[in-house]
């Protein structure tokens, strides 16, 4: 009578974690990180920590940091099996928060959690992250890819990143610089950017049952292409504006909308008055509002409504600021002014009506 062979022991791979796939992914990422670099970077991808030499020349440097993700826009990317743009969104959400206080983005580190490591998919995601870093002038200093079988579905993933920037202590922008009479300049968004996708998906995909692959006449492209349009990265535009004009502060328009975010950069006693009549939101906003019967107040606190970044500048620098941004091929316009307000008045107020909305 022969003895039966012992059953094979349980391995990390049989539990769902493929270390070899992770190693292959790292090899694919190295050339991408090499493109998204700066002279201050020390070492290369693969170490336990990223090294960045903060060069001299600063009088009193202040480091700024920001952490963010992309949110449920990732559900659209996963449904379309298109993963090369959401990395740009990730960088935008981080670096454009850094530049609000006047900080130059220096480096970024990403975190990618996956249900199953598919090296080529991870490579597509990081290709977008690297492109975003190049667009913003910061280095991709490293990151982490973690495989979570049993916690996440095999083809699902989530991404986040932390960025670090630097600004001179006496050049930090903020509410303390804002004065009555200052002019508010809007910089156009490229669409929804990376906020409000839970509501957008609910209306367009669940209630209206639109097809991501279907062509939409109002957009001139498919619904999926519209929803995956990358977030505009304003970091270099804002830094150029700082170099040429008296910028009081910036305001990155993300979750909370235009008024909600402006209240974070306007001091008590003042009001940022925004005139809706100065711009028409892109068709995607009107489609969501109409087909979901979403009230204006809900739209305005959920979406950017066509404005991705705002600059508050000294009134005498208005024309110069518009010229600088226009020369950088950025659609911009004067959207409002800062006025004195009452003790209990809101610090941001939208007035008037959008044309054709």
């Amino acid at each position: 009578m022969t003895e039966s062979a012992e059953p094979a022991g349980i391995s990390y791979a049989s539990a769902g974690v493929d270390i070899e796939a992770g190693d292959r992914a790292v090899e694919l990422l190295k050339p991408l990180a090499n493109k998204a670099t700066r002279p201050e970077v020390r070492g290369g991808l693969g170490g336990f920590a990223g090294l960045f030499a903060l060069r001299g020349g600063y009088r009193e440097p202040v480091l700024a940091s920001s952490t963010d993700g992309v949110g449920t826009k990732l559900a659209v990317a996963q449904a379309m099996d298109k993963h090369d743009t959401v990395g740009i969104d990730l960088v935008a959400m981080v670096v454009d928060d850094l530049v609000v206080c006047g900080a130059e983005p220096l480096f970024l580190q990403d975190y990618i959690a996956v249900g199953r490591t598919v090296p080529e998919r991870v490579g597509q995601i990081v290709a977008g992250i690297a492109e975003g870093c190049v667009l913003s002038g910061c280095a991709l200093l490293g990151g982490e890819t973690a495989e979570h079988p049993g916690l996440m579905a095999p083809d699902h993933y989530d991404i986040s990143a932390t960025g670090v920037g630097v600004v001179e202590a006496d050049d930090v922008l903020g509410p303390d610089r804002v004065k009555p009479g200052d002019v508010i300049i809007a910089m156009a968004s490229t669409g929804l950017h990376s906020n409000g996708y839970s509501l957008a998906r609910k209306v367009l995909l669940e209630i209206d049952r639109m097809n991501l692959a279907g062509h939409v006449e109002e957009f001139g492209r498919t619904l999926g292409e519209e929803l995956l349009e990358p977030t505009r990265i304003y970091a270099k535009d804002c830094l150029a504006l700082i170099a040429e004009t008296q910028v009081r502060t910036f305001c990155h328009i993300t979750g909370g909308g235009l008024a909600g975010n402006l209240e974070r950069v306007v001091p008590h006693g003042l009001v940022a008055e925004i005139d809706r009549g100065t711009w028409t939101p892109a068709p995607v906003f009107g489609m969501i509002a109409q087909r979901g019967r979403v009230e204006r107040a809900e739209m305005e606190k959920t979406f950017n409504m066509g404005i991705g970044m705002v600059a508050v500048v000294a009134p005498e620098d208005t024309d110069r600021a518009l010229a600088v941004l226009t020369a950088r091929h950025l659609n911009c316009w004067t959207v409002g002014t800062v006025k004195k307000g009452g003790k209990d008045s809101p610090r941001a107020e939208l007035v008037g009506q959008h044309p054709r909305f």
Side-chain angles (χ1 to χ4, degrees):
M1 187 172 182
T2 59
E3 294 183 6
S4 59
E6 287 189 16
I10 295 295
S11 67
Y12 210 8
S14 67
V17 177
D18 190 339
I19 294 177
E20 291 183 358
D23 291 339
R24 292 196 303 274
V26 170
E27 290 304 310
L28 290 174
L29 306 187
K30 285 182 178 179
L32 300 174
N34 289 337
K35 292 179 181 179
T37 190
R38 288 174 57 116
E40 300 95 333
V41 173
R42 298 290 180 264
L45 199 66
F48 285 91
L51 302 177
F52 191 95
L54 190 60
R55 293 185 167 185
Y58 295 101
R59 301 183 306 277
E60 190 178 350
V62 175
L63 294 179
S65 67
S66 176
T67 298
D68 213 333
V70 177
T72 61
K73 187 172 186 174
L74 295 179
V76 179
Q78 290 162 19
M80 295 182 64
D81 195 24
K82 180 174 173 56
H83 316 283
D84 57 349
T85 60
V86 289
I88 299 174
D89 293 298
L90 179 62
V91 177
M93 298 305 288
V94 173
V95 300
D96 285 342
D97 275 357
L98 292 176
V99 82
V100 164
C101 68
E104 176 189 3
L106 296 177
F107 60 83
L108 179 138
Q109 292 188 304
D110 63 68
Y111 179 81
I112 304 174
V114 300
R116 172 173 56 100
T117 299
V118 179
E120 293 74 19
R121 182 187 299 149
V122 174
Q124 290 176 40
I125 297 168
V126 177
I129 296 173
E131 182 178 349
C133 287
V134 171
L135 291 171
S136 62
C138 74
L140 178 55
L141 197 57
E144 169 74 2
T145 300
E147 199 167 24
H148 292 161
L151 183 62
M152 303 177 72
D155 291 326
H156 284 196
Y157 60 84
D158 196 10
I159 59 178
S160 63
T162 295
V164 173
V166 64
V167 58
E168 289 283 7
D170 53 6
D171 291 334
V172 174
L173 305 179
D176 58 302
R177 296 190 174 216
V178 179
K179 302 176 183 179
D182 284 345
V183 174
I184 305 169
I185 293 176
M187 304 179 213
S189 71
T190 52
L192 299 182
H193 280 186
S194 297
N195 293 102
Y197 273 78
S198 294
L199 178 55
R201 288 167 48 243
K202 181 72 175 180
V203 170
L204 301 178
L205 302 182
E206 293 185 32
I207 296 175
D208 211 47
R209 297 185 180 277
M210 294 180 71
N211 187 338
L212 287 171
H215 182 84
V216 181
E217 184 176 351
E218 294 94 327
F219 304 155
R221 53 184 173 178
T222 68
L223 174 63
E225 289 169 336
E226 176 71 22
L227 294 182
L228 283 187
E229 178 67 34
T231 305
R232 168 87 191 208
I233 294 178
Y234 302 94
K236 286 187 175 180
D237 304 310
C238 293
L239 292 173
L241 207 57
I242 291 171
E244 297 283 345
T245 68
Q246 297 179 67
V247 177
R248 311 296 199 201
T249 190
F250 293 107
C251 182
H252 188 195
I253 312 305
T254 56
L258 187 55
N261 282 285
L262 273 170
E263 290 211 346
R264 301 165 65 182
V265 298
V266 174
H268 289 284
L270 299 182
V271 178
E273 187 176 274
I274 302 298
D275 182 3
R276 296 187 187 94
T278 61
W279 85 100
T280 300
V284 66
F285 299 105
M287 184 173 290
I288 293 169
Q290 180 182 6
R291 300 192 181 189
R293 292 182 294 179
V294 184
E295 296 181 357
R296 185 172 71 179
E298 186 68 21
M299 291 291 298
E300 291 181 338
K301 74 178 183 181
T302 304
F303 300 105
N304 65 60
M305 299 302 290
I307 298 175
M309 181 72 78
V310 158
V312 181
V313 303
E316 62 269 23
D317 278 355
T318 303
D319 290 343
R320 179 60 182 160
L322 292 170
V324 168
L325 295 174
T326 300
R328 298 183 63 81
H329 309 290
L330 181 56
N331 182 19
C332 59
W333 64 95
T334 299
V335 74
T337 56
V338 177
K339 300 181 177 181
K340 289 185 178 179
K343 182 180 179 182
D344 298 321
S345 63
R347 282 172 283 168
E349 184 178 9
L350 275 64
V351 299
Q353 301 291 332
H354 293 299
R356 304 182 307 280
F357 181 76

